[in-house]
Amino acid sequence: AILQILKYERLAQKHIAVISTMSSGKSTFINALIGNEIFPETQAACTAKITSIYDNDSLNNINGVALCGNDIRQAKIMVDKDMAKNWNDDNGIDRIVFEGNLKNVFNHDQVLVVHDTPGTNFSSDEEHKKITINFLENTKLDTIIFLINAMYIGTNDSLEILKQIYQIEKDSQVKVLFVLNKIDSIDAKREDVK
């Protein structure tokens, strides 16, 4: 077990942040990407804080830690979606970190870390935008996945976050990947998907 821990600690980490406007399906997308149903999903503003998950092939369960600043508020072995939602809703927690064997990640020579971020246009709480922008500006990321909600392509909300991404990409050379989500909501008879 000690050798496995030492090997894991020496692996390079690849950090991916998933960002978008509110209710674009970030958490659902991440659950599908990693193959684990851990991130809470709703049709409303869902993610209220940076929530990260580290792939660790040596673990059988998803473990979690809820933080406020550098203080551990709660730690749990075998975290499920309900616990993740409770931590997300708790105002005394400002960051959530999960670790476990991600079913859809098969790379054993590095650690994939996926970060879910709050929607940037939640007008009821401007803090969501601040949290996301601060995280993007102050975290060494390898890739940003910008999830575009097909129902709201070209809105001012999307334009504003695209400007922020452009500046971050220009300053840090992070790769940006655009993913079109909810394309099935487009009425192909009335709208051109090209």
Side-chain angles (χ1 to χ4, degrees):
I2 292 171
L3 290 175
Q4 282 184 326
I5 292 169
L6 291 173
K7 181 182 175 190
Y8 179 77
E9 290 294 321
R10 292 182 178 157
L11 293 174
Q13 294 182 352
K14 297 294 180 186
H15 291 264
I16 298 173
V18 180
I19 65 168
S20 188
T21 55
M22 179 185 75
S23 298
S24 293
K26 289 185 305 301
S27 299
T28 303
F29 172 78
I30 293 172
N31 284 336
L33 179 71
I34 65 175
N36 299 69
E37 293 288 323
I38 193 68
F39 291 85
E41 306 166 7
T42 67
Q43 291 296 322
C46 184
T47 304
K49 51 205 64 154
I50 302 298
T51 305
S52 306
I53 189 159
Y54 289 68
D55 181 39
N56 186 337
D57 294 336
S58 68
L59 296 177
N60 294 323
N61 306 308
I62 301 292
N63 303 323
V65 177
L67 304 163
C68 185
N70 291 325
D71 296 331
I72 296 174
R73 296 295 175 159
Q74 294 182 40
K76 189 100 169 150
I77 296 174
M78 293 184 62
V79 175
D80 60 14
K81 195 185 281 192
D82 291 334
M83 177 59 69
K85 182 181 181 335
N86 290 341
W87 285 354
N88 185 62
D89 293 343
D90 187 333
N91 291 331
I93 295 169
D94 61 17
R95 175 116 198 236
I96 302 169
V97 178
F98 299 119
E99 181 179 32
N101 186 7
L102 306 182
K103 294 176 187 172
N104 288 348
V105 178
F106 302 103
N107 192 349
H108 303 292
D109 61 349
Q110 63 185 357
V111 177
L112 178 69
V113 186
V114 180
H115 307 279
D116 193 5
T117 60
T120 56
N121 64 327
F122 185 34
S123 59
S124 297
D125 190 346
E126 275 293 311
E127 193 65 22
H128 284 205
K129 180 178 176 181
K130 291 177 191 172
I131 290 167
T132 298
I133 298 303
N134 182 54
F135 177 76
L136 293 175
E137 290 176 343
N138 295 299
T139 305
K140 184 183 177 326
L141 298 168
D142 297 285
T143 305
I144 295 173
I145 297 176
F146 182 62
L147 200 64
I148 302 168
N149 185 338
M151 295 173 57
Y152 302 110
I153 295 174
T155 63
N156 287 337
D157 292 331
S158 293
L159 180 61
E160 187 172 330
I161 192 65
L162 281 170
K163 288 178 183 176
Q164 294 285 339
I165 292 171
Y166 173 75
Q167 190 61 47
I168 291 165
E169 185 272 336
K170 194 169 92 173
D171 294 343
S172 67
Q173 300 298 310
V174 65
K175 293 178 179 98
V176 180
L177 176 67
F178 296 92
V179 176
L180 186 60
N181 196 27
K182 301 187 181 185
I183 195 164
D184 57 331
S185 64
I186 294 176
D187 183 351
K189 293 178 183 175
R190 295 178 28 201
E191 300 172 288
D192 185 1
V193 294
K194 297 174 189 171

